[in-house]
Amino acid sequence: MSYPYQITSYEAYKEAYKQSIENPEQFWGGVAENFTWKKKWDKVLEWNFTEPKIEWFKGAKLNITENCLDRHIEAHGNAPAIIWEPNAPDEKNRLLTYKKLLEKVCQFGQVLKNNGVKKGDRVCIYMGMVPELAVATLACARIGAIHSVIFGGFSAQSIADRLYDAQAEFIVTCDGAFRGAKDIPLKNVIDDALIGNHTIKKVIVCTRTRTPISMLKGRDVWYEDEMKHVEEQGITFIEAEPMDAEDPLFILYTSGSTGKPKGVVHACGGYMVYTNYTFINVFQYQPSQVHFCTADIGWITGHSYILYGPLSAGATSLIFEGVPTYPNAGRFWDIVDKYKVNILYTAPTAIRSLMGFGLGPLQGKDLSSLKVLGTVGEPINEEAWHWYDEYVGKKQCPIVDTWWQTETGGILISNLAGITPAKPSWATLPLPGVQMVLVDEKGNEVLDEEGSDTVGGNLCIKFPWPSILRTTYGDHERCRTNYFATYPNLYFTGDGALRSKEGFYRITGRVDDVLNVSGHRIGTAEVENAINMHSGVVESAVVGYPHDIKGQGIYAYVVFGNTHGDETLTRKDILQTVTRIIGPIAKPDKIQFVSGLPKTRSGKIMRRILRKIAEGETENLGDTSTLLDPGVVDEIKRGKI
Ligand code: WT7
């Protein structure tokens, strides 16, 4: 395959950008010509940001799996689509060619149908990083069911909330998952999530860990049995369901500044075009390269840059079940060496954690296959950037710092590897079609200033790109108020940013009450709600603080009725409660018991002060004159952990 829309020089980038702004419909229509459509569109784009209503390639029919699988079969059906590396290095790896993957996807699509799944039904997928996770996800897309993948680190309660919100009727899970030295009992978690659930009809269980599990008659079936049944019927292929370009492809839940996670909805056509376009251009993918994205498929990064982007480009995508430090901190480098990985896409938190082990784990590992390095999820500090550049890329590999969000579906700001300039800790330039603006608190556009090198503001976008979210599932008004109402006619990202004279962007972090812990997004309100559910907790306030490895750590101030003198145990109890309500990923790093929280006379918690104290600032806490009880601040300062 060749990609006529691959940008190969800085000049060509500038030209593509210009065209994409001057005539977006012609630009994206041109890119979209390179895909398999069952029917072409009537109109490339219709939109307004007030409702919001965004429609790309309206009237077109397609199935994303035909673009990810079928269209590659003739030219390279025997090329590897997926390489799977297990958690333990001594276990056998697996390889699925495009032909094999298509066959498995069709067969599992048939399994879903046999179990009653129909087009438009919501299927929740809660699995470890096994090849069957890719198969299950693509099989949903094949038959037009809407997948909702939930990351394995979420608790039963979180799953129950998501199942309810999506009105899901089916679940695909595993008995358990291996992650480093741990063994996570996925099916048990699902069983807990299903207590009191009335929508789920079938649970399909894939074996991985052989952990003992209960299988309920009539509800639970084995993945392997179901597949065998389909194989015995001789089914190796099913037709791909024709989908409208605007039909939902998937729901992915993400945290916001309010208590309840939102089900971000992506649509088939635009998402396909944009994830493919960005994969090919940002990473400068060349045919037959091996791409290793270390994210979990349970996050948007895995959806877009393990599955849909690379597969639609015909790449070899590496799925790694384990963690970077198991059995030792050389695991990533062993994998790069073993499979001759060409593109490595990981998170700053992983780089920082591996830096901590020194250069020993890199010794004797042949990393010369690497051509492009990428980072995503949080701002990358310069120290980590240089370490990645020097010791992993050996100064031979461009590093792409890719900024985007669950809601954006694909990368929006990034340098193009080796094509446009890189600048440590700057995401740099917007991709073609992406019209960023900075606004001040009042919503006025921030323009470049004579005599100053950078300007700063809240990061917004004034025009739709093909993979923008279409709605939040079941609640369109929530989508509007969350993203499109802060500033009229703009999509608000929730991030702050600086812009240089050259037009480069540097993301400074969230400006709302959302934390970024190890590249995972966690709403402070969600953590507070979970803490407040613990008996004895009167109230709490959660803020972020700088953390060497995680980027941000979670600091909780808790007003507790009576700890019975054992604060250590009470802390553990609170952590247990958070694990139970949200999952281990939301556990506070620090819990400080306080007798009260700093509040204004109207009862609003002054988080600014709490944030400063958590950051270690004791002197300049800003204006405290509006506080109801200024004394509480001194007490909190004295008790800081
Ligand atoms: C938030 C989105 C999209 C992939 C994974 C996270 C932060 C993401 C960068 C980057 C600085 C970044 C932002 C954004 N973020 N990439 N390259 N530089 N910050 O997806 O969970 O939806 O979180 O992650 O704050 O808003 P997400």
Side-chain angles (χ1 to χ4, degrees), residues 41-75:
W41 49 92
D42 302 320
K43 181 120 181 48
V44 174
L45 173 64
E46 262 179 49
W47 70 288
N48 71 67
F49 275 173
T50 40
E51 292 177 57
K53 182 179 98 170
I54 302 143
E55 293 174 326
W56 282 94
F57 311 113
K58 196 178 177 184
K61 297 257 183 209
L62 78 148
N63 187 293
I64 196 167
T65 68
E66 283 191 335
N67 288 274
C68 289
L69 302 169
D70 307 58
R71 71 164 166 161
H72 306 311
I73 299 299
E74 203 181 322

mmCIF file of all heavy atoms in Angstrom, residues 41-75:
data_model
loop_
_atom_site.group_PDB
_atom_site.id
_atom_site.type_symbol
_atom_site.label_atom_id
_atom_site.label_comp_id
_atom_site.label_asym_id
_atom_site.label_seq_id
_atom_site.Cartn_x
_atom_site.Cartn_y
_atom_site.Cartn_z
ATOM 1 N N TRP A 41 -20.124 9.260 0.252
ATOM 2 C CA TRP A 41 -20.890 10.252 0.984
ATOM 3 C C TRP A 41 -21.656 11.201 0.060
ATOM 4 O O TRP A 41 -21.284 11.395 -1.095
ATOM 5 C CB TRP A 41 -19.947 11.055 1.879
ATOM 6 C CG TRP A 41 -18.740 11.565 1.139
ATOM 7 C CD1 TRP A 41 -18.583 12.747 0.508
ATOM 8 C CD2 TRP A 41 -17.509 10.844 0.925
ATOM 9 N NE1 TRP A 41 -17.348 12.827 -0.084
ATOM 10 C CE2 TRP A 41 -16.660 11.683 0.148
ATOM 11 C CE3 TRP A 41 -17.040 9.577 1.303
ATOM 12 C CZ2 TRP A 41 -15.371 11.290 -0.241
ATOM 13 C CZ3 TRP A 41 -15.764 9.197 0.911
ATOM 14 C CH2 TRP A 41 -14.942 10.048 0.151
ATOM 15 N N ASP A 42 -22.700 11.804 0.630
ATOM 16 C CA ASP A 42 -23.418 12.862 -0.089
ATOM 17 C C ASP A 42 -22.779 14.208 0.217
ATOM 18 O O ASP A 42 -22.770 15.115 -0.598
ATOM 19 C CB ASP A 42 -24.894 12.906 0.355
ATOM 20 C CG ASP A 42 -25.563 11.559 0.102
ATOM 21 O OD1 ASP A 42 -25.281 10.953 -0.956
ATOM 22 O OD2 ASP A 42 -26.338 11.104 0.979
ATOM 23 N N LYS A 43 -22.284 14.333 1.444
ATOM 24 C CA LYS A 43 -21.703 15.613 1.866
ATOM 25 C C LYS A 43 -20.555 15.312 2.819
ATOM 26 O O LYS A 43 -20.685 14.452 3.688
ATOM 27 C CB LYS A 43 -22.809 16.418 2.575
ATOM 28 C CG LYS A 43 -22.417 17.775 3.056
ATOM 29 C CD LYS A 43 -23.278 18.866 2.408
ATOM 30 C CE LYS A 43 -22.903 20.287 2.849
ATOM 31 N NZ LYS A 43 -21.507 20.624 2.815
ATOM 32 N N VAL A 44 -19.426 16.019 2.643
ATOM 33 C CA VAL A 44 -18.265 15.724 3.501
ATOM 34 C C VAL A 44 -18.520 16.175 4.941
ATOM 35 O O VAL A 44 -18.246 15.442 5.886
ATOM 36 C CB VAL A 44 -16.968 16.375 2.957
ATOM 37 C CG1 VAL A 44 -15.810 16.173 3.938
ATOM 38 C CG2 VAL A 44 -16.601 15.780 1.607
ATOM 39 N N LEU A 45 -19.059 17.394 5.115
ATOM 40 C CA LEU A 45 -19.193 17.910 6.488
ATOM 41 C C LEU A 45 -20.409 18.803 6.656
ATOM 42 O O LEU A 45 -20.675 19.668 5.826
ATOM 43 C CB LEU A 45 -17.929 18.723 6.848
ATOM 44 C CG LEU A 45 -17.951 19.480 8.182
ATOM 45 C CD1 LEU A 45 -18.055 18.539 9.366
ATOM 46 C CD2 LEU A 45 -16.712 20.371 8.323
ATOM 47 N N GLU A 46 -21.111 18.538 7.750
ATOM 48 C CA GLU A 46 -22.142 19.474 8.199
ATOM 49 C C GLU A 46 -21.951 19.657 9.683
ATOM 50 O O GLU A 46 -21.729 18.680 10.391
ATOM 51 C CB GLU A 46 -23.527 18.880 7.951
ATOM 52 C CG GLU A 46 -24.153 19.399 6.672
ATOM 53 C CD GLU A 46 -25.502 18.796 6.426
ATOM 54 O OE1 GLU A 46 -26.328 18.791 7.362
ATOM 55 O OE2 GLU A 46 -25.703 18.315 5.305
ATOM 56 N N TRP A 47 -22.011 20.895 10.144
ATOM 57 C CA TRP A 47 -21.736 21.056 11.580
ATOM 58 C C TRP A 47 -22.219 22.367 12.151
ATOM 59 O O TRP A 47 -22.401 23.350 11.431
ATOM 60 C CB TRP A 47 -20.227 20.968 11.829
ATOM 61 C CG TRP A 47 -19.457 22.160 11.309
ATOM 62 C CD1 TRP A 47 -19.213 22.451 10.006
ATOM 63 C CD2 TRP A 47 -18.875 23.214 12.077
ATOM 64 N NE1 TRP A 47 -18.499 23.612 9.914
ATOM 65 C CE2 TRP A 47 -18.261 24.097 11.169
ATOM 66 C CE3 TRP A 47 -18.793 23.468 13.452
ATOM 67 C CZ2 TRP A 47 -17.577 25.245 11.595
ATOM 68 C CZ3 TRP A 47 -18.109 24.613 13.870
ATOM 69 C CH2 TRP A 47 -17.511 25.481 12.947
ATOM 70 N N ASN A 48 -22.473 22.346 13.465
ATOM 71 C CA ASN A 48 -22.499 23.559 14.271
ATOM 72 C C ASN A 48 -22.081 23.149 15.673
ATOM 73 O O ASN A 48 -22.329 22.017 16.098
ATOM 74 C CB ASN A 48 -23.883 24.216 14.256
ATOM 75 C CG ASN A 48 -24.897 23.419 15.041
ATOM 76 O OD1 ASN A 48 -24.808 23.299 16.261
ATOM 77 N ND2 ASN A 48 -25.868 22.832 14.338
ATOM 78 N N PHE A 49 -21.400 24.052 16.359
ATOM 79 C CA PHE A 49 -20.929 23.734 17.705
ATOM 80 C C PHE A 49 -21.939 24.164 18.772
ATOM 81 O O PHE A 49 -21.670 24.015 19.961
ATOM 82 C CB PHE A 49 -19.574 24.419 17.983
ATOM 83 C CG PHE A 49 -18.369 23.634 17.500
ATOM 84 C CD1 PHE A 49 -17.100 24.192 17.562
ATOM 85 C CD2 PHE A 49 -18.497 22.336 17.012
ATOM 86 C CE1 PHE A 49 -15.977 23.474 17.150
ATOM 87 C CE2 PHE A 49 -17.382 21.610 16.589
ATOM 88 C CZ PHE A 49 -16.112 22.191 16.658
ATOM 89 N N THR A 50 -23.091 24.710 18.347
ATOM 90 C CA THR A 50 -24.036 25.147 19.381
ATOM 91 C C THR A 50 -24.851 23.985 19.934
ATOM 92 O O THR A 50 -25.053 23.890 21.141
ATOM 93 C CB THR A 50 -24.979 26.254 18.877
ATOM 94 O OG1 THR A 50 -25.358 25.926 17.546
ATOM 95 C CG2 THR A 50 -24.326 27.613 18.907
ATOM 96 N N GLU A 51 -25.276 23.064 19.025
ATOM 97 C CA GLU A 51 -26.101 21.954 19.565
ATOM 98 C C GLU A 51 -25.296 20.986 20.434
ATOM 99 O O GLU A 51 -25.798 20.616 21.490
ATOM 100 C CB GLU A 51 -26.765 21.188 18.401
ATOM 101 C CG GLU A 51 -27.813 22.006 17.688
ATOM 102 C CD GLU A 51 -28.396 21.254 16.496
ATOM 103 O OE1 GLU A 51 -28.905 20.141 16.726
ATOM 104 O OE2 GLU A 51 -28.364 21.748 15.367
ATOM 105 N N PRO A 52 -24.174 20.448 20.091
ATOM 106 C CA PRO A 52 -23.461 20.484 18.813
ATOM 107 C C PRO A 52 -23.990 19.404 17.881
ATOM 108 O O PRO A 52 -24.481 18.374 18.324
ATOM 109 C CB PRO A 52 -22.030 20.133 19.231
ATOM 110 C CG PRO A 52 -22.206 19.188 20.379
ATOM 111 C CD PRO A 52 -23.459 19.631 21.092
ATOM 112 N N LYS A 53 -23.844 19.665 16.561
ATOM 113 C CA LYS A 53 -24.158 18.635 15.560
ATOM 114 C C LYS A 53 -22.984 18.562 14.609
ATOM 115 O O LYS A 53 -22.605 19.561 13.999
ATOM 116 C CB LYS A 53 -25.425 19.001 14.793
ATOM 117 C CG LYS A 53 -25.807 17.916 13.781
ATOM 118 C CD LYS A 53 -27.079 18.252 13.030
ATOM 119 C CE LYS A 53 -26.721 18.854 11.685
ATOM 120 N NZ LYS A 53 -27.879 18.989 10.788
ATOM 121 N N ILE A 54 -22.377 17.386 14.532
ATOM 122 C CA ILE A 54 -21.215 17.230 13.665
ATOM 123 C C ILE A 54 -21.393 15.966 12.845
ATOM 124 O O ILE A 54 -21.567 14.874 13.397
ATOM 125 C CB ILE A 54 -19.914 17.142 14.488
ATOM 126 C CG1 ILE A 54 -19.761 18.411 15.347
ATOM 127 C CG2 ILE A 54 -18.704 16.974 13.567
ATOM 128 C CD1 ILE A 54 -19.190 18.176 16.690
ATOM 129 N N GLU A 55 -21.403 16.110 11.533
ATOM 130 C CA GLU A 55 -21.590 14.954 10.658
ATOM 131 C C GLU A 55 -20.540 14.959 9.558
ATOM 132 O O GLU A 55 -20.453 15.914 8.778
ATOM 133 C CB GLU A 55 -22.990 14.992 10.025
ATOM 134 C CG GLU A 55 -24.079 14.793 11.049
ATOM 135 C CD GLU A 55 -25.477 14.972 10.486
ATOM 136 O OE1 GLU A 55 -25.646 15.828 9.581
ATOM 137 O OE2 GLU A 55 -26.389 14.271 10.930
ATOM 138 N N TRP A 56 -19.735 13.898 9.550
ATOM 139 C CA TRP A 56 -18.717 13.750 8.521
ATOM 140 C C TRP A 56 -19.125 12.629 7.569
ATOM 141 O O TRP A 56 -19.579 11.579 7.999
ATOM 142 C CB TRP A 56 -17.366 13.394 9.141
ATOM 143 C CG TRP A 56 -16.649 14.565 9.766
ATOM 144 C CD1 TRP A 56 -16.689 14.945 11.077
ATOM 145 C CD2 TRP A 56 -15.776 15.487 9.091
ATOM 146 N NE1 TRP A 56 -15.896 16.056 11.269
ATOM 147 C CE2 TRP A 56 -15.310 16.402 10.061
ATOM 148 C CE3 TRP A 56 -15.341 15.625 7.766
ATOM 149 C CZ2 TRP A 56 -14.436 17.445 9.760
ATOM 150 C CZ3 TRP A 56 -14.463 16.658 7.464
ATOM 151 C CH2 TRP A 56 -14.025 17.560 8.444
ATOM 152 N N PHE A 57 -18.951 12.862 6.289
ATOM 153 C CA PHE A 57 -19.197 11.843 5.247
ATOM 154 C C PHE A 57 -20.637 11.318 5.315
ATOM 155 O O PHE A 57 -20.884 10.114 5.187
ATOM 156 C CB PHE A 57 -18.170 10.697 5.370
ATOM 157 C CG PHE A 57 -16.750 11.193 5.470
ATOM 158 C CD1 PHE A 57 -16.007 11.033 6.634
ATOM 159 C CD2 PHE A 57 -16.164 11.857 4.403
ATOM 160 C CE1 PHE A 57 -14.709 11.519 6.732
ATOM 161 C CE2 PHE A 57 -14.856 12.348 4.487
ATOM 162 C CZ PHE A 57 -14.135 12.170 5.659
ATOM 163 N N LYS A 58 -21.545 12.248 5.530
ATOM 164 C CA LYS A 58 -22.941 11.872 5.679
ATOM 165 C C LYS A 58 -23.457 11.168 4.426
ATOM 166 O O LYS A 58 -23.158 11.580 3.311
ATOM 167 C CB LYS A 58 -23.776 13.121 5.939
ATOM 168 C CG LYS A 58 -25.140 12.810 6.483
ATOM 169 C CD LYS A 58 -25.905 14.077 6.766
ATOM 170 C CE LYS A 58 -27.297 13.737 7.243
ATOM 171 N NZ LYS A 58 -28.077 14.946 7.440
ATOM 172 N N GLY A 59 -24.211 10.125 4.658
ATOM 173 C CA GLY A 59 -24.772 9.365 3.544
ATOM 174 C C GLY A 59 -23.892 8.205 3.114
ATOM 175 O O GLY A 59 -24.336 7.318 2.393
ATOM 176 N N ALA A 60 -22.612 8.209 3.587
ATOM 177 C CA ALA A 60 -21.707 7.127 3.193
ATOM 178 C C ALA A 60 -21.996 5.866 3.997
ATOM 179 O O ALA A 60 -22.525 5.926 5.103
ATOM 180 C CB ALA A 60 -20.257 7.552 3.410
ATOM 181 N N LYS A 61 -21.653 4.729 3.396
ATOM 182 C CA LYS A 61 -21.746 3.433 4.085
ATOM 183 C C LYS A 61 -20.368 2.780 4.075
ATOM 184 O O LYS A 61 -19.663 2.827 3.050
ATOM 185 C CB LYS A 61 -22.717 2.503 3.344
ATOM 186 C CG LYS A 61 -24.141 3.013 3.310
ATOM 187 C CD LYS A 61 -24.971 2.261 4.323
ATOM 188 C CE LYS A 61 -26.427 2.703 4.242
ATOM 189 N NZ LYS A 61 -27.081 2.559 5.558
ATOM 190 N N LEU A 62 -20.027 2.193 5.182
ATOM 191 C CA LEU A 62 -18.721 1.534 5.288
ATOM 192 C C LEU A 62 -18.737 0.558 6.439
ATOM 193 O O LEU A 62 -19.670 0.528 7.249
ATOM 194 C CB LEU A 62 -17.624 2.570 5.577
ATOM 195 C CG LEU A 62 -17.588 3.036 7.048
ATOM 196 C CD1 LEU A 62 -16.189 3.353 7.463
ATOM 197 C CD2 LEU A 62 -18.521 4.204 7.281
ATOM 198 N N ASN A 63 -17.694 -0.264 6.487
ATOM 199 C CA ASN A 63 -17.423 -0.992 7.717
ATOM 200 C C ASN A 63 -15.928 -0.868 7.984
ATOM 201 O O ASN A 63 -15.109 -1.194 7.121
ATOM 202 C CB ASN A 63 -17.850 -2.452 7.627
ATOM 203 C CG ASN A 63 -17.723 -3.140 8.971
ATOM 204 O OD1 ASN A 63 -16.625 -3.335 9.474
ATOM 205 N ND2 ASN A 63 -18.863 -3.486 9.573
ATOM 206 N N ILE A 64 -15.579 -0.404 9.159
ATOM 207 C CA ILE A 64 -14.167 -0.128 9.471
ATOM 208 C C ILE A 64 -13.324 -1.397 9.388
ATOM 209 O O ILE A 64 -12.152 -1.349 9.035
ATOM 210 C CB ILE A 64 -14.034 0.593 10.839
ATOM 211 C CG1 ILE A 64 -12.653 1.230 11.002
ATOM 212 C CG2 ILE A 64 -14.341 -0.333 12.008
ATOM 213 C CD1 ILE A 64 -12.538 2.213 12.167
ATOM 214 N N THR A 65 -13.914 -2.562 9.667
ATOM 215 C CA THR A 65 -13.106 -3.794 9.636
ATOM 216 C C THR A 65 -12.728 -4.184 8.203
ATOM 217 O O THR A 65 -11.707 -4.824 7.996
ATOM 218 C CB THR A 65 -13.797 -4.995 10.320
ATOM 219 O OG1 THR A 65 -14.932 -5.397 9.545
ATOM 220 C CG2 THR A 65 -14.217 -4.666 11.737
ATOM 221 N N GLU A 66 -13.532 -3.783 7.221
ATOM 222 C CA GLU A 66 -13.118 -4.044 5.835
ATOM 223 C C GLU A 66 -11.862 -3.248 5.504
ATOM 224 O O GLU A 66 -11.026 -3.684 4.723
ATOM 225 C CB GLU A 66 -14.236 -3.661 4.853
ATOM 226 C CG GLU A 66 -15.342 -4.690 4.816
ATOM 227 C CD GLU A 66 -16.318 -4.452 3.672
ATOM 228 O OE1 GLU A 66 -16.457 -3.305 3.203
ATOM 229 O OE2 GLU A 66 -16.956 -5.433 3.266
ATOM 230 N N ASN A 67 -11.761 -2.072 6.116
ATOM 231 C CA ASN A 67 -10.587 -1.226 5.893
ATOM 232 C C ASN A 67 -9.389 -1.680 6.722
ATOM 233 O O ASN A 67 -8.250 -1.452 6.336
ATOM 234 C CB ASN A 67 -10.936 0.231 6.201
ATOM 235 C CG ASN A 67 -11.835 0.817 5.136
ATOM 236 O OD1 ASN A 67 -11.354 1.320 4.126
ATOM 237 N ND2 ASN A 67 -13.151 0.703 5.315
ATOM 238 N N CYS A 68 -9.663 -2.318 7.861
ATOM 239 C CA CYS A 68 -8.574 -2.786 8.723
ATOM 240 C C CYS A 68 -8.124 -4.191 8.346
ATOM 241 O O CYS A 68 -7.022 -4.588 8.707
ATOM 242 C CB CYS A 68 -9.018 -2.789 10.183
ATOM 243 S SG CYS A 68 -9.197 -1.140 10.870
ATOM 244 N N LEU A 69 -8.991 -4.963 7.693
ATOM 245 C CA LEU A 69 -8.667 -6.366 7.435
ATOM 246 C C LEU A 69 -8.803 -6.741 5.961
ATOM 247 O O LEU A 69 -7.811 -6.940 5.266
ATOM 248 C CB LEU A 69 -9.553 -7.270 8.301
ATOM 249 C CG LEU A 69 -9.440 -7.035 9.821
ATOM 250 C CD1 LEU A 69 -10.531 -7.780 10.567
ATOM 251 C CD2 LEU A 69 -8.063 -7.449 10.325
ATOM 252 N N ASP A 70 -10.032 -6.823 5.471
ATOM 253 C CA ASP A 70 -10.279 -7.375 4.123
ATOM 254 C C ASP A 70 -9.418 -6.743 3.035
ATOM 255 O O ASP A 70 -8.895 -7.434 2.166
ATOM 256 C CB ASP A 70 -11.757 -7.187 3.727
ATOM 257 C CG ASP A 70 -12.719 -7.733 4.755
ATOM 258 O OD1 ASP A 70 -12.642 -7.276 5.929
ATOM 259 O OD2 ASP A 70 -13.537 -8.590 4.437
ATOM 260 N N ARG A 71 -9.265 -5.434 3.090
ATOM 261 C CA ARG A 71 -8.578 -4.786 1.971
ATOM 262 C C ARG A 71 -7.078 -5.071 1.935
ATOM 263 O O ARG A 71 -6.412 -4.747 0.965
ATOM 264 C CB ARG A 71 -8.855 -3.283 1.940
ATOM 265 C CG ARG A 71 -8.192 -2.483 3.032
ATOM 266 C CD ARG A 71 -8.219 -1.004 2.663
ATOM 267 N NE ARG A 71 -7.906 -0.180 3.811
ATOM 268 C CZ ARG A 71 -7.515 1.079 3.710
ATOM 269 N NH1 ARG A 71 -7.401 1.643 2.527
ATOM 270 N NH2 ARG A 71 -7.266 1.775 4.795
ATOM 271 N N HIS A 72 -6.546 -5.661 3.012
ATOM 272 C CA HIS A 72 -5.122 -5.991 3.007
ATOM 273 C C HIS A 72 -4.851 -7.421 2.557
ATOM 274 O O HIS A 72 -3.701 -7.787 2.340
ATOM 275 C CB HIS A 72 -4.521 -5.822 4.404
ATOM 276 C CG HIS A 72 -4.750 -4.470 5.004
ATOM 277 N ND1 HIS A 72 -4.500 -3.304 4.307
ATOM 278 C CD2 HIS A 72 -5.215 -4.095 6.223
ATOM 279 C CE1 HIS A 72 -4.800 -2.277 5.078
ATOM 280 N NE2 HIS A 72 -5.240 -2.726 6.240
ATOM 281 N N ILE A 73 -5.898 -8.222 2.481
ATOM 282 C CA ILE A 73 -5.698 -9.664 2.287
ATOM 283 C C ILE A 73 -4.986 -9.976 0.975
ATOM 284 O O ILE A 73 -4.032 -10.751 0.953
ATOM 285 C CB ILE A 73 -7.051 -10.422 2.355
ATOM 286 C CG1 ILE A 73 -7.699 -10.215 3.725
ATOM 287 C CG2 ILE A 73 -6.864 -11.911 2.048
ATOM 288 C CD1 ILE A 73 -6.908 -10.718 4.905
ATOM 289 N N GLU A 74 -5.440 -9.340 -0.073
ATOM 290 C CA GLU A 74 -4.869 -9.690 -1.373
ATOM 291 C C GLU A 74 -3.368 -9.409 -1.432
ATOM 292 O O GLU A 74 -2.569 -10.275 -1.770
ATOM 293 C CB GLU A 74 -5.590 -8.908 -2.466
ATOM 294 C CG GLU A 74 -5.459 -9.586 -3.811
ATOM 295 C CD GLU A 74 -6.164 -8.791 -4.892
ATOM 296 O OE1 GLU A 74 -7.246 -8.222 -4.618
ATOM 297 O OE2 GLU A 74 -5.609 -8.719 -6.001
ATOM 298 N N ALA A 75 -2.977 -8.192 -1.044
ATOM 299 C CA ALA A 75 -1.565 -7.819 -1.151
ATOM 300 C C ALA A 75 -0.692 -8.460 -0.073
ATOM 301 O O ALA A 75 0.413 -8.887 -0.345
ATOM 302 C CB ALA A 75 -1.425 -6.307 -1.105
#
